[in-house]
Amino acid sequence: MSEFSINDVGIKVGLEIHQQLATNKKLFCGCTPIETEEYSIKFQRKLRAAKSELGEYDPAALFEKSKSKSILYFANPESSCLVEQDEEPPHELDVDAKRISLIIASALKSKIFSEIYPMRKTVVDGSNTTGFQRTMLISQGGYLEVDGSKIGIQSICLEEDAAKILGDEGSVRKFGLERLGVPLVEIATEPFEANPKHIKKIALALGRILRSTKKVKRGLGSIRQDVNVSIKDGGGVVIEVKGVQQLEQLEKVVEYEAKRQYGLLKISKKLQGIEWSHNKNEDRKITTEQFKKCKSKIIQNAIKKNQEIVTIVFKNMRGMFGYSPYEGIRLGKEVAELIRFFGLGGVFHSDELPNYGIELNDIENLKEFLKIKNNAAFLILAVPFEMIDIIVDQIISRIYHIRNDGIPIDTRLATQDGETKFLRPRPGAARMYPETDIPPIIISKNELELAQKNIPKSWDESIKELQSIYEINLQLAEQIFDSKYIELFENIIKNTNVNPTFVASILCSTITNLERSGLDSSLLKNDEIRKTFEILEQKKIAKESIEIIFKNIMAGKSDNVEDAMNKMSIETVDETDLEKIIQKIVDENEQLVKNQKERSIGPLMGIAMKELRGKVSGETVNKLLLKNIQKKL
Amino acid sequence: MPEYTGYEGRSLEFLKSNNIVVGDSVKILSDLTYSGIIMPRYEHSDNMHIVLKLNSGYNVGLEIEKIKKVEKNEITRKIIEKKGKIEPTQGLPKILLLSTGGTIASKIDYRTGAVTPILTADELNASVPELAKIANIDAQVLFSEYSENIMPEHWLAVAKKINEFEKSDYSGIIIAHGTDTMHYTSSFLSFSLAGFPIPIVLVGSQRSSDRASSDAALNLIGATKFITTSNPKGVYVVMHLDESDNTIACHLGTRVRKNHTSKRGAFQTIGGSPAFIIAENQIQENFSGDYFKIKEYQPKIKLDTKVALVKYHPGYDPNLLNQIVEMGYRGIIFEGTGLGHIGKTMYESVKKAKGKGIFLGMTSQCIDGRVRMTVYESGRDLLNLGIIPLENMIPEVALVKAMWVIGNYHDSEEIKKIMLQNVASELSD
């Protein structure tokens, strides 16, 4: 095993951002995307592989079909209609979405086509009820500047978002339709050579250009990142990694994927030196009987579920599954990911056995029964009978591919730990089909000119503008502009006299901190936030109360500001009552006051604020305490 | 594919002068360089663009004005149609699949950019491999029409074709048909082929077969299962029961109607449940009795198209009715309101029509429910004028029946008698 260093190898990376647009309608119907947990409509479907325009079947579709899943869809009439159910043809393209995508394309100096053709991109995992995603190519080319260098833009597309996965119930996958049809702009960069740190900067810059249009959605899930990774000796293979949630993940994911690809090349080379082929009749056998007494829990559970224990024999391949050219990269792992993807429990390979409850005598029996030679390797897996051939074929085909062609062309998924795992085979161009329900969209010269006129200020300019208008510092300006509260911020400043710096820091720091401690910011509606500042301005609460109120709402204990105020007994204290309270505290601690004189204010503040925090500002308490202490002395 | 489909004027000139045709792989130098395949152009588009399918799969329109140079690639990617052939299995029942077109047998058409009927019955059969496990299917294309373009001549052609197989060893005949007018065709077949010895099943789809979510496959599988398990004589329309893929409904061909423009479950049996419902491997029977009231097969494949369907509405101009009479129409089916009414303003024209010996039948635009003209004064007046109430016959079915009856019988008393006689379950008791 060798040490892998990202700086020693050549990698090229392409970024793909999917950004939801802030229109109030979906791309092809008038529904409003409302987040919801309540579904009053439920129906079931099965999707079938279909031929493309060129008369060929799509490999990804055939793959999904071989997994034969039934799909259950859930819908709420407030956020979806017959169009999302695939019970009605799409309506006309939303003009707002079109307009915003033209502005974005213009901002990136991309060449917009004068005739745009909506296409159907085959998707049969169920996330689109129609079996395809509607997508159209708006423009090609263009660039953005990051740190003085130009990053090329490959393409900009306008497309619809997919349904939300709700979960799996056995072999049935469940989706909610509220997100299906939300307009997305997909921006793909040209592949560029860069180290992972630089990649993060580029991704950030691209996101900022989008946000500066002020016409994109913000908040969780509104922007999704995919990254394409290819290595110098990879034979031109580009692996698409989907679902990078945070920029921090991006670096790790790129590094891991480059390592995996280089590792596969090494594995491929080694495989080429081995004489191996797969004989369908001899090399795959049902060996359930042989494992009936095996102590492995996984195997016992599988047998209980009436699955078969299948052994695949690999002549001359001893050591190949466990061979690890770099840390964490093994042929065995590639196979395991494939198995898990089919929803099966696991696979064991000979290089890691005996282990996991499979003992030496199990192995000896197996080898004798199947006459496995010592220089051979084998895989043991638990599979439902009717899927045996499909699964084994997939495994063998993948190993053949790695040996003969190197890196399999996959679509992969980024994991939480910054690795990647197999998602599905990369689809070919056979996926695209004209969307025949919608005629081609003509972009007029007027529309192009209007888009040019509306190119937003650069991010730098927008930040400078915020700083000067609101007199807030750079850091706060950056934070608030990047956050989902920018519009609320401007609204609050417009309608109240509260200090902008204070407002910005509450919106950015305070709420973020509360989120970090596990509370839910989606419970805190913008209206309530605005109300809070209005009440503050009316002096009905103190500054310190705000955090307490927000905490209460974000913990789900109150729905709104009034409620929270009641629950936490936050009201301002009457002046005379306040005087009495302070007096009482000083009286009760007369001795302390006499001893420490004016320094007693320290501990007395502690006692006073315990009772008065949130109701009165610290300053006021301090002033009154001092007055009373002096009176005492 | 023709070489210049959709290209005209300037755009056609452009292709010719650059020596390229649709299907050629090219590299085009314009504001950027584009590589791809020349695609046909949709009709009703301008002449200023050419359409290119890029390697990514996206189609784009490029302005001819901006094109600086065109290079043709030698390796041309031809549009491949892989033909699959299904081998028959011993011991399985035989079924005949006749294709008349419709969404169920369609794919993208470059003439309009919309979907048109093209797929052959063999391709249809091959794209639903499950069928081969249930039956050996012979496929034939009768014609290829969207059902809004189907005319009574087509009904005659279908009926005559089916008639050829009266003594065949087929267990049933499936007709792939457009959904828009499927219930008209099913009605005509029910009357003209009354007593036909094997089931005739019409199948359509609301979503085109070229897409993964198409209801075509499941509807076809349902029809095949229906024929091979139940084997009921009669004419049926088989479509999804509702928006889910788990149940297929088999409706009596004279009691069904398309009640939604686009839903999978658009077809509904009027005034009852579908005759049979297929879920997974179970068939639920809601219909007992015989579809055809005639036992022996007596084909009567003729019709008279001079029958009008008149939907009455407030303000209906009686002159329209007069015109119909003047044009020599021999029958008028009224789609009246409620229990079977039309306004007083029509009475004179109705009298005139009756005077000419025209058959006048009454159905209701309520669609569901029974016409009963003795209840209200208006109804009784109309009865007096000689309008025949047609019980609970669906208006479109009544129209087709009238065309059939008038085409086969000439005596007005006989016409009236047979219109009121239950021939193929079009009337329920």
Side-chain angles (χ1 to χ4, degrees):
Chain A
M1 185 161 71
S2 328
E3 191 64 41
F4 181 80
S5 169
I6 191 83
N7 296 315
D8 298 337
V9 300
I11 52 167
K12 264 193 163 173
V13 164
L15 287 174
E16 244 177 62
I17 290 193
H18 296 85
Q19 166 74 63
Q20 284 180 340
L21 299 183
T23 56
N24 286 323
K25 296 193 288 155
K26 293 191 173 179
L27 196 56
F28 290 108
C29 72
C31 293
T32 325
I34 300 177
E35 288 292 323
T36 181
E37 306 281 282
E38 289 163 21
Y39 302 108
S40 51
I41 297 174
K42 180 170 110 171
F43 58 96
Q44 175 258 340
R45 294 274 168 81
K46 278 189 151 110
L47 291 178
R48 304 171 64 91
K51 279 190 185 180
S52 85
E53 188 183 356
L54 298 177
E56 299 161 359
Y57 279 98
D58 169 40
L62 280 173
F63 183 77
E64 282 291 347
K65 181 164 188 288
S66 66
K67 290 170 66 200
S68 0
K69 271 194 153 92
S70 202
I71 305 156
L72 214 49
Y73 291 105
F74 293 84
N76 181 318
E78 285 186 47
S79 58
S80 68
C81 62
L82 291 180
V83 175
E84 282 84 356
Q85 291 180 34
D86 187 41
E87 290 275 78
E88 192 178 293
H91 304 177
E92 273 183 36
L93 180 68
D94 180 51
V95 291
D96 278 333
K98 180 168 77 161
R99 200 175 38 88
I100 298 171
S101 56
L102 292 180
I103 293 175
I104 292 174
S106 302
L108 289 168
K109 303 179 185 40
S110 193
K111 301 265 186 285
I112 300 174
F113 293 102
S114 56
E115 270 188 0
I116 294 175
Y117 289 77
M119 307 292 287
R120 294 176 182 171
K121 200 189 228 181
T122 308
V123 176
V124 292
D125 62 0
S127 55
N128 293 78
T129 46
T130 47
F132 54 76
Q133 175 198 35
R134 294 187 184 95
T135 170
M136 62 203 95
L137 183 59
I138 301 276
S139 66
Q140 276 197 326
Y143 62 90
L144 77 150
E145 285 203 41
V146 183
D147 282 353
S149 52
K150 281 193 181 155
I151 303 294
I153 299 293
Q154 199 174 70
S155 61
I156 300 179
C157 298
L158 177 61
E159 53 191 33
E160 34 174 36
D161 207 348
K164 193 171 86 172
I165 296 186
L166 297 177
D168 282 323
E169 224 175 69
S171 69
V172 177
R173 177 151 279 190
K174 304 192 285 189
F175 289 93
L177 296 185
E178 61 276 16
R179 200 182 69 188
L180 178 61
V182 170
L184 286 181
V185 159
E186 180 202 83
I187 303 176
T189 67
E190 292 283 355
F192 51 88
E193 280 178 28
N195 65 56
K197 282 194 177 28
H198 197 55
I199 293 168
K200 186 168 148 187
K201 266 200 186 156
I202 296 168
L204 191 58
L206 202 44
R208 284 179 170 163
I209 291 184
L210 292 175
R211 281 194 289 281
S212 61
T213 64
K214 293 201 181 159
K215 303 222 195 299
V216 299
K217 274 219 181 102
R218 294 162 188 257
L220 205 60
S222 62
I223 184 167
R224 297 197 291 283
Q225 207 110 248
D226 299 336
V227 58
N228 298 332
V229 182
S230 62
I231 58 175
K232 203 168 72 163
D233 304 310
V237 170
V238 179
I239 300 295
E240 188 185 344
V241 181
K242 299 188 93 63
V244 181
Q245 306 272 31
Q246 290 134 344
L247 287 181
E248 288 68 43
Q249 244 183 326
L250 197 51
E251 269 184 64
K252 280 202 207 145
V253 165
V254 171
E255 274 198 47
Y256 175 84
E257 184 53 30
K259 181 170 77 170
R260 189 189 74 97
Q261 293 185 23
Y262 273 107
L264 279 177
L265 287 182
K266 285 197 166 176
I267 293 173
S268 172
K269 201 143 182 235
K270 208 155 185 225
L271 280 173
Q272 282 165 22
I274 297 178
E275 210 182 290
W276 165 72
S277 62
H278 180 78
N279 182 311
K280 217 169 163 168
N281 294 320
E282 291 173 11
D283 295 335
R284 58 178 87 172
K285 297 281 183 200
I286 297 182
T287 48
T288 319
E289 274 308 310
Q290 280 63 36
F291 284 93
K292 281 239 157 82
K293 300 219 183 82
C294 172
K295 295 199 185 117
S296 153
K297 278 213 183 95
I298 294 180
I299 293 199
Q300 283 306 324
N301 284 340
I303 294 181
K304 270 196 204 117
K305 283 195 258 184
N306 280 329
Q307 291 182 353
E308 301 291 350
I309 310 299
V310 174
T311 304
I312 314 174
V313 183
F314 295 83
K315 289 190 271 293
N316 301 321
M317 290 262 270
R318 182 191 168 119
M320 274 315 300
F321 287 104
Y323 163 57
S324 194
Y326 301 112
E327 165 119 29
I329 310 296
R330 284 183 309 281
L331 188 60
K333 192 171 176 186
E334 289 281 313
V335 174
E337 276 178 18
L338 196 57
I339 301 289
R340 225 166 287 126
F341 177 60
F342 276 98
L344 297 178
V347 54
F348 305 98
H349 62 79
S350 45
D351 298 332
E352 61 185 349
L353 300 175
N355 204 339
Y356 310 114
I358 299 180
E359 290 166 356
L360 199 53
N361 62 320
D362 293 317
I363 300 174
E364 295 299 315
N365 284 341
L366 183 69
K367 282 168 96 164
E368 208 191 295
F369 177 67
L370 292 179
K371 311 225 186 323
I372 301 176
K373 298 211 177 98
N374 274 334
N375 59 358
F378 52 88
L379 291 178
I380 302 171
L381 39 140
V383 193
F385 180 75
E386 64 276 8
M387 291 184 79
I388 293 179
D389 277 333
I390 296 176
I391 304 268
V392 179
D393 281 344
Q394 290 283 350
I395 296 175
I396 298 302
S397 141
R398 193 164 179 87
I399 299 178
Y400 268 135
H401 189 108
I402 294 175
R403 181 184 73 178
N404 300 340
D405 303 305
I407 306 163
I409 307 179
D410 297 335
T411 299
R412 300 180 69 81
L413 189 65
T415 67
Q416 290 279 45
D417 326 310
E419 293 192 351
T420 68
K421 70 177 186 195
F422 175 76
L423 187 58
R424 59 175 180 260
R426 186 91 186 262
R431 288 182 97 197
M432 296 278 225
Y433 209 122
E435 169 45 280
T436 47
D437 292 344
I438 302 169
I441 292 157
I442 317 293
I443 304 292
S444 67
K445 294 235 186 316
N446 278 348
E447 283 173 301
L448 283 178
E449 277 167 18
L450 198 59
Q452 274 291 126
K453 277 204 196 111
N454 282 300
I455 293 178
K457 295 191 185 62
S458 75
W459 188 80
D460 281 321
E461 287 173 335
S462 301
I463 297 296
K464 284 207 183 83
E465 198 182 53
L466 273 181
Q467 280 183 270
S468 80
I469 295 179
Y470 300 109
E471 290 175 7
I472 54 180
N473 66 37
L474 177 65
Q475 194 191 33
L476 263 182
E478 285 185 358
Q479 279 183 317
I480 193 74
F481 192 72
D482 268 347
S483 85
K484 59 183 176 176
Y485 292 119
I486 172 69
E487 266 158 36
L488 179 62
F489 168 74
E490 295 190 307
N491 190 291
I492 292 173
I493 304 304
K494 194 161 83 172
N495 294 317
T496 69
N497 275 326
V498 186
N499 177 279
T501 299
F502 178 67
V503 177
S505 65
I506 293 280
L507 291 176
C508 298
S509 312
T510 311
I511 296 182
T512 309
N513 286 337
L514 287 172
E515 265 186 321
R516 287 216 186 101
S517 69
L519 300 180
D520 187 358
S521 69
S522 70
L523 293 175
L524 181 59
K525 307 287 173 211
N526 285 1
D527 280 340
E528 298 309 308
I529 299 178
R530 198 179 338 105
K531 237 194 280 175
T532 310
F533 284 104
E534 282 165 7
I535 297 179
L536 175 72
E537 200 185 21
Q538 293 160 15
K539 294 206 189 337
K540 290 198 184 140
I541 52 173
K543 279 186 180 171
E544 289 84 350
S545 318
I546 296 187
E547 181 169 346
I548 301 176
I549 293 173
F550 286 1
K551 186 170 176 181
N552 196 273
I553 296 178
M554 284 167 68
K557 297 199 179 132
S558 305
D559 280 337
N560 57 43
V561 182
E562 291 84 7
D563 237 6
M565 281 171 65
N566 282 336
K567 289 220 173 80
M568 306 298 283
S569 341
I570 295 175
E571 319 105 13
T572 39
V573 178
D574 192 78
E575 282 229 32
T576 33
D577 286 337
L578 183 59
E579 285 271 6
K580 284 197 192 129
I581 294 172
I582 300 286
Q583 183 90 33
K584 187 164 148 237
I585 292 176
V586 173
D587 286 339
E588 282 174 359
N589 293 280
E590 213 178 306
Q591 199 61 32
L592 182 66
V593 174
K594 290 229 163 92
N595 286 344
Q596 295 201 23
K597 311 225 193 303
E598 277 170 13
R599 281 188 299 137
S600 62
I601 193 146
L604 287 184
M605 269 296 281
I607 298 171
M609 287 314 285
K610 208 164 163 192
E611 201 183 317
L612 295 167
R613 185 175 298 283
K615 301 181 194 188
V616 192
S617 77
E619 284 171 61
T620 314
V621 176
N622 195 296
K623 250 197 294 192
L624 274 172
L625 263 180
L626 199 53
K627 198 173 84 183
N628 274 280
I629 290 173
Q630 286 166 344
K631 239 200 310 194
K632 204 52 133 161
L633 294 173
Chain B
M1 245 184 330
E3 301 161 317
Y4 302 108
T5 309
Y7 289 97
E8 288 176 345
R10 175 108 171 69
S11 58
L12 178 59
E13 220 181 274
F14 178 82
L15 289 184
K16 286 191 166 155
S17 62
N18 280 287
N19 197 21
I20 48 177
V21 297
V22 167
D24 277 348
S25 170
V26 296
K27 192 157 96 175
I28 293 188
L29 272 72
S30 173
D31 47 3
L32 292 180
T33 303
Y34 303 97
S35 285
I37 303 176
I38 305 276
M39 285 281 120
R41 192 148 175 73
Y42 302 155
E43 208 181 71
H44 310 308
S45 297
D46 67 32
N47 296 331
M48 315 296 286
H49 296 82
I50 56 165
V51 187
L52 200 65
K53 186 178 203 48
L54 302 176
N55 293 334
S56 58
Y58 282 99
N59 284 7
V60 293
L62 297 176
E63 268 181 89
I64 293 176
E65 287 251 325
K66 294 198 174 147
I67 295 178
K68 300 178 191 138
K69 187 164 158 216
V70 178
E71 281 168 21
K72 189 159 117 170
N73 292 334
E74 286 321 312
I75 311 153
T76 311
R77 200 150 166 240
K78 282 293 178 236
I79 313 283
I80 314 154
E81 277 299 331
K82 294 198 188 121
K83 305 244 184 240
K85 206 67 182 128
I86 303 279
E87 295 306 321
T89 312
Q90 284 273 25
L92 285 184
K94 274 178 73 179
I95 292 183
L96 176 65
L97 172 62
L98 291 175
S99 175
T100 64
T103 302
I104 191 167
S106 64
K107 59 194 269 191
I108 176 181
D109 170 42
Y110 295 104
R111 190 176 68 86
T112 55
V115 193
T116 56
I118 286 179
L119 271 181
T120 62
D122 263 321
E123 274 186 295
L124 194 57
N125 197 358
S127 71
V128 189
E130 291 94 324
L131 296 178
K133 299 198 185 118
I134 312 174
N136 292 322
I137 305 204
D138 289 338
Q140 264 189 53
V141 176
L142 265 184
F143 45 81
S144 218
E145 292 286 357
Y146 266 142
S147 66
E148 59 265 25
N149 288 326
I150 281 188
M151 303 286 278
E153 298 94 82
H154 294 103
W155 303 340
L156 289 170
V158 177
K160 287 184 180 146
K161 186 52 137 179
I162 295 178
N163 183 43
E164 289 173 23
F165 297 99
E166 178 206 341
K167 298 211 164 66
S168 71
D169 58 350
Y170 286 120
S171 296
I173 300 180
I174 296 179
I175 316 230
H177 195 288
T179 54
D180 272 19
T181 61
M182 195 151 70
H183 54 295
Y184 288 88
T185 305
S186 65
S187 296
F188 184 74
L189 296 178
S190 300
F191 302 126
S192 59
L193 303 174
F196 197 76
I198 55 174
I200 299 167
V201 177
L202 285 86
V203 182
S205 75
Q206 290 277 64
R207 304 273 93 77
S208 50
S209 335
D210 54 73
R211 54 162 116 180
S213 62
S214 173
D215 48 333
L218 291 170
N219 291 345
L220 270 174
I221 295 170
T224 311
K225 273 191 195 164
F226 179 51
I227 292 176
T228 54
T229 28
S230 288
N231 203 309
K233 274 168 71 167
V235 180
Y236 298 87
V237 165
V238 171
M239 293 286 288
H240 269 52
L241 178 70
D242 55 29
E243 65 270 305
S244 288
D245 280 347
N246 38 23
T247 23
I248 303 295
C250 309
H251 307 271
L252 298 179
T254 50
R255 294 297 317 163
V256 69
R257 193 170 189 271
K258 183 172 181 179
N259 276 344
H260 194 279
T261 58
S262 57
K263 282 190 194 176
R264 284 162 175 69
F267 279 83
Q268 293 177 322
T269 289
I270 305 300
S273 302
F276 298 84
I277 296 181
I278 306 178
E280 274 312 300
N281 292 312
Q282 286 186 325
I283 297 195
Q284 181 192 331
E285 266 190 53
N286 295 323
F287 175 67
S288 54
D290 299 312
Y291 184 85
F292 297 117
K293 306 307 171 191
I294 303 168
K295 295 303 167 209
E296 257 180 61
Y297 176 49
Q298 307 169 2
K300 286 187 169 57
I301 309 176
K302 271 201 275 195
L303 55 78
D304 189 336
T305 55
K306 290 212 154 225
V307 180
L309 179 61
V310 170
K311 179 169 178 162
Y312 178 76
H313 61 79
Y316 188 96
D317 189 343
N319 275 320
L320 282 176
L321 201 66
N322 294 337
Q323 279 286 40
I324 292 173
V325 172
E326 228 139 283
M327 286 164 76
Y329 269 66
R330 300 191 54 213
I332 296 175
I333 302 292
F334 289 100
E335 223 184 282
T337 56
L339 286 164
H341 303 138
I342 55 179
K344 286 198 272 248
T345 49
M346 301 283 284
Y347 290 7
E348 274 309 307
S349 310
V350 171
K351 235 192 235 165
K352 278 194 207 138
K354 191 68 202 167
K356 290 272 175 81
I358 296 174
F359 174 79
L360 303 169
M362 179 64 80
T363 63
S364 174
Q365 61 193 243
C366 298
I367 309 295
D368 196 1
R370 193 174 293 276
V371 156
R372 197 84 178 94
M373 292 157 77
T374 53
V375 178
Y376 289 101
E377 195 183 296
S378 9
R380 294 192 289 271
D381 286 341
L382 295 168
L383 282 174
N384 213 28
L385 287 172
I387 299 187
I388 311 294
L390 296 176
E391 303 294 319
N392 67 342
M393 232 190 285
I394 300 167
E396 294 93 24
V397 178
L399 170 70
V400 174
K401 186 173 185 187
M403 285 189 191
W404 172 71
V405 171
I406 294 174
N408 286 287
Y409 300 89
H410 301 283
D411 177 51
S412 47
E413 277 310 307
E414 256 216 295
I415 290 174
K416 181 175 155 189
K417 181 175 135 228
I418 301 187
M419 280 303 291
L420 289 172
Q421 191 178 71
N422 204 0
V423 172
S425 301
E426 72 275 17
L427 294 161
S428 345
D429 304 310

